[in-house]
Amino acid sequence: MKVGTATLTNGTRALDAERASSIVRQISEARAHGIEVVLVTSGAIGVGVGRLGLPRRPTTMGSLQAAASVGQNILMNTYETLFRGFDTPVGQVLVTAGDLADRRRYVNFGNALNALFEYGVVPVVNENDSVSVDEIRVGDNDTLAAHVANAIEADLLILLTDTDGVYTADPHTVAGAARIPFAAGVTAEMLDIANESPTRKASADLGTGRLATKVRAAEIVTSSGIPMALADGARDNAIGDILDGADVGTFFAPTAPRAGSRKRWIAHTLSPKGSIVADAGAFKAVRDGGKSLLPAGIKDVVGTFAFGDPVRCVTEDGVEFARGLVNYTADEITRIRGRRTDAIQHALGYHYADEVIHRDNLVLVERGACIRDASQD
Ligand code: GLU
């Protein structure tokens, strides 16, 4: 589960002791029922801002790093003290986007969390904001929590925030906007509504999450077969109520069977470095036939990428239908596109593989979400 800055600080520049202890109590109750919990916590920057006596969230990287460094310590101190009351050790795990993008580090991150579970520890995860720089940040903990849920193949992701779910319109401006209790999937309308409405109070000021990042987190996990609940963290027993199946917040049902870990990682965790334009035949072979992407079906290459990089596969109309890891560089693909596989050697003077993207490294996607393994058929 993930708890946001607005929930933890209750709109102030410090940890709200009552909120923090309520969350720790609720996690402990879930644990007493045999449920293992990873806590993804925000609030490092928000709390650090208060501790350093800054008037507002800074904008320069150095000040943000300083605030995160100071605030992270306060967070951990608080969790350690509160969980001690339940005789539960906590373990700090700080990650960067680079840790998630590297397959070995990603798998190892999941392993670290599982090792902590074996010792009965509650892992407390946050982005390592004091060393992350703009371009390589995950940037918000909703997305981070979705990646964590994927990495450990969680049974459920809970996001606690300062709104009690997704509404049919922005409830702060539209009278009669109704809460959506159950969503069978993330719709384009939902993303639109979410883009319009920042969550209330402090999150706009101290945290970085918006409703849009929460809905996108739902898209990431539900398309990997993991349900997500979004609920108001100010609720006394939000976690217990969600686990009891009570009507709170918005529950997003999984939209696909569980995808394999590697495919989920390719579809969601990696940022594509370029695009490959496939002709209609290749599109059909990949999408309907579960085939690899061969040079013959490639019309064009967009961007510069290296061997092993993640790329988008798009139709000639520019619609993305798959993501995968390439066996050739952008430059090499430009030289072999449209050619038969047995002409690769002649065109390049070498031949690494028949496939530009092997089906094992190819995932079908829809609007950036994984719909199923290309190689399942
Ligand atoms: N990692 C940030 C922090 O701890 C929070 C990011 C977010 O607000 O989503 O302050």
Side-chain angles (χ1 to χ4, degrees):
M1 60 161 288
K2 176 257 176 176
V3 56
T5 302
T7 300
L8 281 172
T9 61
N10 194 11
T12 67
R13 298 196 188 300
L15 267 188
D16 182 301
E18 230 168 84
R19 288 279 175 88
S21 55
S22 162
I23 283 163
V24 169
R25 172 188 51 78
Q26 293 181 57
I27 292 176
S28 301
E29 284 167 7
R31 284 174 40 81
H33 285 97
I35 296 169
E36 290 170 325
V37 182
V38 178
L39 174 61
V40 176
T41 186
S42 298
I45 294 175
V47 169
V49 164
R51 182 69 181 85
L52 293 176
L54 308 178
R56 66 188 69 81
R57 184 186 163 103
T59 48
T60 60
M61 190 46 75
S63 306
L64 286 168
Q65 288 172 320
S69 166
V70 169
Q72 181 64 27
N73 192 42
I74 297 172
L75 287 180
M76 288 313 297
N77 215 326
T78 306
Y79 289 127
E80 166 63 28
T81 306
L82 291 172
F83 273 109
R84 199 174 270 268
F86 294 89
D87 207 15
T88 303
V90 293
Q92 172 178 263
V93 184
L94 298 177
V95 283
T96 60
D99 299 323
L100 301 173
D102 179 276
R103 178 76 190 156
R104 274 185 49 225
R105 275 146 72 190
Y106 175 79
V107 169
N108 203 38
F109 165 65
N111 290 346
L113 298 184
N114 285 321
L116 287 167
F117 284 150
E118 298 208 343
Y119 287 103
V121 174
V122 171
V124 180
V125 177
N126 196 358
E127 183 154 20
N128 196 349
D129 294 312
S130 351
V131 300
S132 301
V133 281
D134 257 350
E135 321 77 74
I136 50 161
R137 296 188 75 207
V138 178
D140 73 87
N141 278 4
D142 301 319
T143 309
L144 178 64
H147 293 323
V148 172
N150 265 348
I152 57 165
E153 301 189 29
D155 296 309
L156 172 69
L157 171 63
I158 297 177
L159 299 187
L160 292 185
T161 182
D162 58 352
T163 52
D164 60 343
V166 182
Y167 280 68
T168 51
D170 183 353
H172 309 119
T173 54
V174 180
R179 176 173 61 91
I180 301 173
F182 178 88
V186 171
T187 60
E189 287 92 326
M190 222 179 239
L191 277 170
D192 281 350
I193 296 163
N195 276 324
E196 305 287 296
S197 38
T199 54
R200 276 195 303 265
K201 293 184 287 195
S203 52
D205 178 14
L206 289 175
T208 52
R210 292 164 53 93
L211 197 50
T213 57
K214 298 174 205 324
V215 172
R216 270 191 231 107
E219 202 172 21
I220 293 175
V221 294
T222 57
S223 62
S224 303
I226 299 172
M228 188 186 104
L230 174 63
D232 189 349
R235 241 185 118 91
D236 213 29
N237 195 30
I239 301 174
D241 288 345
I242 291 165
L243 295 176
D244 285 345
D247 179 20
V248 290
T250 300
F251 183 85
F252 296 85
T255 53
R258 291 273 171 120
S261 152
R262 184 179 163 76
K263 297 266 180 163
R264 283 196 314 254
W265 176 75
I266 292 171
H268 300 302
T269 310
L270 295 175
S271 308
K273 299 278 190 292
S275 301
I276 294 178
V277 183
D279 68 15
F283 164 66
K284 223 174 150 310
V286 168
R287 197 196 52 180
D288 303 331
K291 296 281 196 280
S292 299
L293 183 68
L294 303 177
I298 296 175
K299 299 291 273 190
D300 210 353
V301 179
V302 184
T304 315
F305 46 84
F307 165 78
D309 273 349
V311 301
R312 293 191 170 86
C313 300
V314 299
T315 62
E316 289 181 74
D317 304 329
V319 179
E320 179 179 9
F321 65 94
R323 283 188 190 183
L325 306 180
V326 286
N327 286 333
Y328 291 96
T329 68
D331 179 51
E332 288 165 340
I333 300 169
T334 305
R335 277 150 54 206
I336 60 175
R337 76 192 149 126
R339 292 178 189 246
R340 287 165 43 123
T341 301
D342 53 19
I344 296 175
Q345 173 75 35
H346 179 72
L348 298 180
Y350 46 83
H351 172 262
Y352 295 142
D354 286 354
E355 310 82 12
V356 168
I357 303 177
H358 190 274
R359 65 208 296 250
D360 289 349
N361 293 325
L362 196 55
V363 198
L364 298 180
V365 297
E366 195 176 36
R367 275 196 297 119
C370 158
I371 47 178
R372 65 189 163 80
D373 280 13
S375 61
Q376 263 174 5
D377 309 275

